[in-house]
Amino acid sequence: MNDIPRKRAIASCTVLVMSLAAATAACDGPASHPLSARPYDAAKQVSLNAPSGSAKAALDKPLEVIAKGKEGRITDVTAVDTSGRYLAGELTADGSRWRSTGPLAAGTRYTVKVATEDGKGAPGIRTQTFETAAAQHRIGVELGPKAGTYGVGQPLTAELSAPVTDAAARAAIERSLTVRSSPRVDGSWHWVDDKKLHYRPMEYWPAGATVEVVSTLEGVRIGDRLYGGAVKPLKLSIGDRIEAITDAATHQMTVLRNGDVINTIPVTTGKPGFSTRNGVKVVLGKEYFVRMRGTSIGIPEGSSESYDLPVYYATRVTWSGEYVHAAPWSAGSQGWANVSHGCTGMSTGNAEWFFNTVREGDIVKVVNSLGSTMDPFGNGFGDWNLSWDKWLTGSSLPAVGGDGAPETVRLLPRV
């Protein structure tokens, strides 16, 4: 048997091993190279103006890190609090000083890591922790609605414990309220007034979505001596896409589930002088029995328009008293004429079906009525009657990107 090929293979392997050994030696380099050394303790090379022990750092003073002597310089500083928030800062070009440019958060613990290098380029490290003083004045935020399952039109709400008018303070609050949706959608907060914000997507929530709101507001400086308080997170589920579209001209309500028609109901809406509001409304709640009186909407008792009626299967769509409900007294007009005082009336059987089909957050839309358009705020959830462009003008965050979307939208990119 000829063994020459085997000898050649052995020789080739030997050369390969020698080559690898040489390459390894070349990569190792001199053992004394500064970059190969473990970082030294730079505690004596830098100083921090942060307190030690049980003392608390004042909230009105910036954090400063200073290189001592001329034998070393600061290369990097990170300061992170217990919520994972980084403290912004600036490092001088010569590495002699780092100074925070953002405000310290109140009532938290910071971990500061300072990277340095000495005159020979060897790296050093110093780590220090400190706590900040508690805030004397805090602003609370209550998120809504309550946890549960809602329709695709349900806006999120944030109610502040004190009014906020400053634009920078409002922006800080918006940045701290993060909305996450699965599947992801575009959305934005809108300031309804000085104490209330609403959040909605550009379009309705996707059916079956999960929506979460979390906050990093606690300890964040909102204004002069005013800091954010703890905010309880919120999680919602979104059900099927239920839409009830009432055409006041044809006196018919068409109900759709996820785009498919599931019922067509003869109805009566508001008569002249009491015309039902046009536009999109959101189901606010359901009441099996309501006693409806004309005096509640300004009709004098005893007048020709006065009424006092027991009403069943009442689905509320405005706080002022507009419902979808059973109206057996108008059965002859349902599907033919508008004779109500603003509500949408239907037979008792149809009202019971509607009552059992819809949930809070479902869409109730009225078209072709002689009434005005539903107000966006103040009388329920008319948020969807604002165009997306107008909705974005209610945000205090600067626009980013070519579509004019505010910064919050980056948290919820389009599907």
Side-chain angles (χ1 to χ4, degrees):
M1 180 177 177
N2 192 337
D3 61 354
I4 292 177
R6 181 173 178 273
K7 291 179 179 178
R8 286 179 179 173
I10 294 173
S12 298
C13 291
T14 302
V15 172
L16 177 61
V17 171
M18 292 176 64
S19 299
L20 288 173
T24 302
C27 292
D28 285 346
S32 59
H33 193 283
L35 294 179
S36 67
R38 294 183 60 185
Y40 60 85
D41 183 358
K44 296 182 179 181
Q45 193 175 14
V46 294
S47 63
L48 285 74
N49 67 339
S52 57
S54 60
K56 303 290 193 296
L59 299 174
D60 58 350
K61 295 181 179 180
L63 176 65
E64 287 189 332
V65 184
I66 300 173
K68 297 188 294 185
K70 299 180 179 180
E71 296 301 319
R73 69 185 189 94
I74 302 168
T75 58
D76 188 35
V77 177
T78 60
V80 187
D81 70 7
T82 52
S83 296
R85 297 171 294 201
Y86 283 79
L87 181 64
E90 292 182 348
L91 179 64
T92 58
D94 62 0
S96 63
R97 182 189 300 264
W98 181 92
R99 181 186 176 97
S100 63
T101 56
L104 291 169
T108 189
R109 175 186 292 272
Y110 279 94
T111 299
V112 184
K113 293 184 179 181
V114 184
T116 67
E117 65 178 18
D118 63 15
K120 297 180 180 179
I125 190 76
R126 177 179 179 180
T127 301
Q128 181 173 329
T129 62
F130 69 93
E131 295 183 358
T132 56
Q136 295 184 352
H137 304 286
R138 291 181 178 267
I139 187 167
V141 180
E142 183 176 355
L143 299 175
K146 296 179 180 180
T149 301
Y150 293 84
V152 298
Q154 179 65 48
L156 305 173
T157 63
E159 185 83 29
L160 309 183
S161 61
V164 174
T165 58
D166 179 73
R170 286 187 169 194
I173 291 173
E174 279 192 61
R175 287 192 184 95
S176 76
L177 299 174
T178 301
V179 180
R180 301 190 182 101
S181 170
S182 178
R184 295 179 292 180
V185 296
D186 283 351
S188 174
W189 289 102
H190 183 106
W191 286 81
V192 176
D193 54 39
D194 293 344
K195 294 180 64 176
K196 183 179 292 183
L197 300 86
H198 284 190
Y199 186 102
R200 51 154 272 208
M202 185 184 344
E203 300 174 353
Y204 298 141
W205 298 106
T210 298
V211 181
E212 295 181 273
V213 189
V214 295
S215 173
T216 57
L217 185 64
E218 186 173 13
V220 172
R221 190 173 74 180
I222 303 303
D224 185 29
R225 299 182 181 180
L226 180 64
Y227 290 79
V231 181
K232 185 179 179 180
L234 174 66
K235 185 174 182 179
L236 305 180
S237 297
I238 305 299
D240 288 337
R241 178 168 174 156
I242 301 293
E243 301 169 85
I245 303 173
T246 297
D247 189 329
T250 63
H251 319 293
Q252 300 289 322
M253 172 188 281
T254 303
V255 184
L256 302 93
R257 174 183 283 118
N258 300 325
D260 297 325
V261 176
I262 58 174
N263 205 349
T264 301
I265 301 172
V267 298
T268 182
T269 62
K271 59 187 175 181
F274 299 93
S275 296
T276 306
R277 298 170 184 83
N278 282 294
V280 178
K281 303 150 196 176
V282 173
V283 172
L284 301 174
K286 300 188 293 184
E287 301 162 61
Y288 171 69
F289 171 79
V290 179
R291 184 177 178 184
M292 293 189 179
R293 302 178 178 89
T295 53
S296 65
I297 59 172
I299 298 175
E301 188 174 357
S303 67
S304 61
E305 295 292 346
S306 178
Y307 60 89
D308 186 345
L309 297 168
V311 175
Y312 294 88
Y313 300 112
T315 300
R316 181 187 285 270
V317 293
T318 73
W319 296 124
S320 62
E322 184 180 329
Y323 289 84
V324 177
H325 64 76
W329 53 86
S330 64
S333 298
Q334 293 163 17
W336 299 98
N338 294 323
V339 298
S340 82
H341 288 89
C343 291
T344 299
M346 57 185 65
S347 71
T348 300
N350 283 330
E352 181 181 8
W353 177 89
F354 186 81
F355 186 92
N356 292 331
T357 299
V358 301
R359 58 162 52 96
E360 287 184 48
D362 283 339
I363 299 299
V364 176
K365 184 177 182 179
V366 175
V367 299
N368 297 325
S369 172
L370 298 178
S372 59
T373 300
M374 171 75 172
D375 291 333
F377 310 111
N379 195 20
F381 293 126
D383 307 51
W384 302 101
N385 296 303
L386 286 181
S387 68
W388 182 240
D389 288 341
K390 288 185 178 180
W391 182 265
L392 292 178
T393 63
S395 170
S396 291
L397 294 178
V400 296
D403 59 359
E407 287 185 314
T408 45
V409 172
R410 292 185 296 178
L411 302 170
L412 295 171
R414 188 178 294 110
V415 176

